[in-house]
């Protein structure tokens, strides 16, 4: 998942047509889609709109929906916040789509309404984030976030072979993907006695708050050598905090996700490595599993997509295919 600083609180459903993420892939002419010639409707509810991670996922949803000959409609909040996602979810469920692809913004707060959607006969597929009890969904598709966190530590270790203190900057506890990344990083650090883990700081997905936290952490522990930033906002704020502290040459930052802004930071040397996911593939797989469930075919309950470590050395070669999209 890739999160950014919010723009405004929330949009009404009527306003979504003006957003880049609000789109519909219509079946090709004469090609309604599935068993019994039913034109299935798939709804996609991302964690937030306007974010390159979810835009890339939307591109995958629309591409596979077109291949299946079904419609796919996307609606979502402008902030990664369960209180904003919940009313949109309720409205989407009321429209009675055949399947719902959703990135829950909280593993607990969205459990009941998503279960209600499943109980209403809607085939639910969890994409990117998950729930405390994911059994309400026919399939859950996400990156290997725990493995990604461990890989982030491996990247910091490569940049700091002598070891030292390391810090994690995340968003908020309770976001499944971020929790898994933190756990993966923490587990890897504990296995290497050359490194000292100073803990995780939560920035509430606010780059300014992340910068403050990093500045305070560096003042307390000026010998920190590496920071793992769990998402886009965390990486942006961490870079600002390190720069303001005048410690750019000492502190190495490894970020998660690979949107255009993150690639720019990488090329500028603000961030030394990025853990890139495959959001478009998550979208493709989400539609495939939804259609399998609708047609009574075999469904894969859990799918983990791969990630790629992008550095200055491979950003323009084999890492280029992993850069997220700003539009489809």
């Amino acid at each position: 998942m890739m999160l950014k600083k919010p723009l405004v609180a929330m949009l009404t459903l009527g306003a979504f047509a003006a957003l880049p993420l609000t789109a519909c892939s219509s079946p090709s002419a004469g090609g309604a889609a599935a068993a019994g010639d039913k034109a299935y409707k798939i709804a996609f509810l991302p964690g937030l709109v306007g974010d390159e991670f979810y835009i890339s996922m939307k591109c995958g949803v629309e591409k596979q929906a077109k291949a299946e000959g079904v419609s796919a409609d996307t609606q979502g909040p402008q902030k990664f916040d369960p209180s904003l996602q919940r009313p949109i979810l309720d409205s989407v469920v009321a429209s009675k789509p055949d399947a719902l692809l959703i990135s829950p913004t909280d593993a607990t707060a969205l459990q009941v309404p998503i279960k209600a959607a499943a109980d209403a006969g809607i085939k639910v597929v969890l994409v990117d984030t998950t729930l405390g009890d994911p059994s309400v969904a026919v399939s859950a598709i996400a990156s290997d976030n725990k493995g990604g966190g461990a890989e982030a530590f491996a990247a910091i270790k490569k940049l700091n072979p002598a070891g030292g203190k390391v810090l994690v900057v995340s968003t908020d506890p309770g976001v499944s993907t971020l929790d898994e990344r933190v756990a993966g990083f923490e587990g890897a650090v504990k296995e290497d006695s050359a490194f000292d883990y100073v803990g995780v700081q939560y920035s509430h997905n606010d780059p300014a708050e992340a910068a403050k936290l990093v500045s305070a952490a560096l003042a307390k522990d000026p010998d920190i050598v590496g920071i793992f930033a769990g998402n886009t906002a965390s990486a942006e704020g961490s870079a600002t905090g390190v720069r303001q502290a005048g410690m750019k040459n000492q502190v190495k930052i490894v970020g998660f996700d690979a949107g255009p802004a993150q690639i720019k930071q990488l090329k500028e040397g603000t961030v030394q490595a990025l853990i890139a996911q495959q959001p478009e593939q998550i979208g493709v797989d989400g539609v495939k599993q939804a259609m399998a469930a609708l047609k009574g075919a075999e469904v894969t309950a859990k799918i983990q997509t791969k990630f790629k470590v992008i550095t200055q050395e491979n950003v323009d070669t084999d890492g280029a295919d992993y850069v997220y999209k700003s539009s489809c």
Side-chain angles (χ1 to χ4, degrees):
M1 174 187 55
M2 172 178 168
L3 310 180
K4 286 186 178 178
K5 188 174 181 180
L7 298 176
V8 296
M10 184 182 121
L11 298 179
T12 61
L13 290 176
F16 280 112
L19 287 171
L21 258 180
T22 306
C24 178
S25 293
S26 300
S28 56
D37 293 323
K38 178 175 180 178
Y40 287 120
K41 297 187 299 181
I42 294 177
F44 173 41
L45 208 172
L48 75 163
V49 297
D51 177 284
E52 286 94 351
F53 176 83
Y54 287 117
I55 291 172
S56 299
M57 193 184 298
K58 167 182 171 286
C59 294
V61 168
E62 291 187 342
K63 179 171 71 174
Q64 189 59 32
K66 183 177 181 180
E68 300 276 1
V70 300
S71 67
D73 180 71
T74 301
Q75 298 182 27
Q78 282 197 320
K79 180 181 179 181
F80 196 88
D81 184 330
S83 68
L84 302 182
Q85 191 181 40
R86 172 65 187 269
I88 299 172
L89 170 61
D90 291 342
S91 293
V92 168
V93 171
S95 72
K96 299 182 179 179
D98 297 290
L100 169 67
L101 275 59
I102 184 169
S103 303
T105 49
D106 188 280
T108 302
L110 276 298
Q111 181 77 53
V112 171
I114 291 177
K115 181 179 185 301
D119 290 344
I122 298 171
K123 303 299 184 183
V124 175
V125 177
L126 302 174
V127 285
D128 182 38
T129 48
T130 188
L131 295 169
D133 177 11
S135 66
V136 299
V138 297
S139 181
I141 304 161
S143 304
D144 177 9
N145 286 286
K146 192 170 183 179
E151 192 64 28
F153 172 70
I156 286 180
K157 181 176 179 178
K158 185 176 181 180
L159 293 163
N160 300 282
K165 293 181 179 180
V166 291
L167 169 73
V168 174
V169 180
S170 186
T171 57
D172 290 292
V175 180
S176 63
T177 50
L178 274 296
D179 290 346
E180 289 173 8
R181 293 169 198 171
V182 173
F185 186 89
E186 290 176 344
V189 175
K190 290 177 182 177
E191 294 179 359
D192 194 322
S193 60
F195 287 85
D196 181 14
Y197 179 54
V198 300
V200 56
Q201 297 284 348
Y202 292 105
S203 66
H204 314 301
N205 202 41
D206 183 347
E209 181 64 19
K212 291 179 182 178
L213 293 171
V214 168
S215 295
L218 293 175
K220 179 182 178 183
D221 293 291
D223 49 349
I224 288 175
V225 298
I227 296 175
F228 170 41
N231 74 331
T232 306
S234 300
E236 180 184 340
S238 295
T240 299
V242 169
R243 185 171 60 252
Q244 290 175 345
M247 301 174 70
K248 180 179 176 182
N249 293 331
Q250 172 187 318
V251 182
K252 307 303 181 185
I253 301 173
V254 174
F256 221 93
D257 289 315
Q262 290 71 60
I263 295 300
K264 183 174 184 290
Q265 290 178 335
L266 179 69
K267 291 184 174 181
E268 292 173 345
T270 304
V271 172
Q272 283 66 51
L274 298 170
I275 310 299
Q277 304 181 73
Q278 292 183 298
E280 185 169 353
Q281 186 61 48
I282 293 174
V284 168
D285 289 342
V287 174
K288 286 182 177 180
Q289 296 309 308
M291 291 304 298
L294 289 169
K295 295 179 179 181
E298 182 178 355
V299 178
T300 303
K302 183 176 180 179
I303 297 175
Q304 282 192 328
T305 54
K306 298 179 181 179
F307 56 84
K308 177 77 172 179
V309 179
I310 303 179
T311 64
Q312 287 186 344
E313 287 70 35
N314 68 358
V315 65
D316 292 321
T317 55
D318 60 324
D321 290 340
Y322 287 79
V323 177
Y324 302 168
K325 298 178 178 179
S326 297
S327 62
C328 298

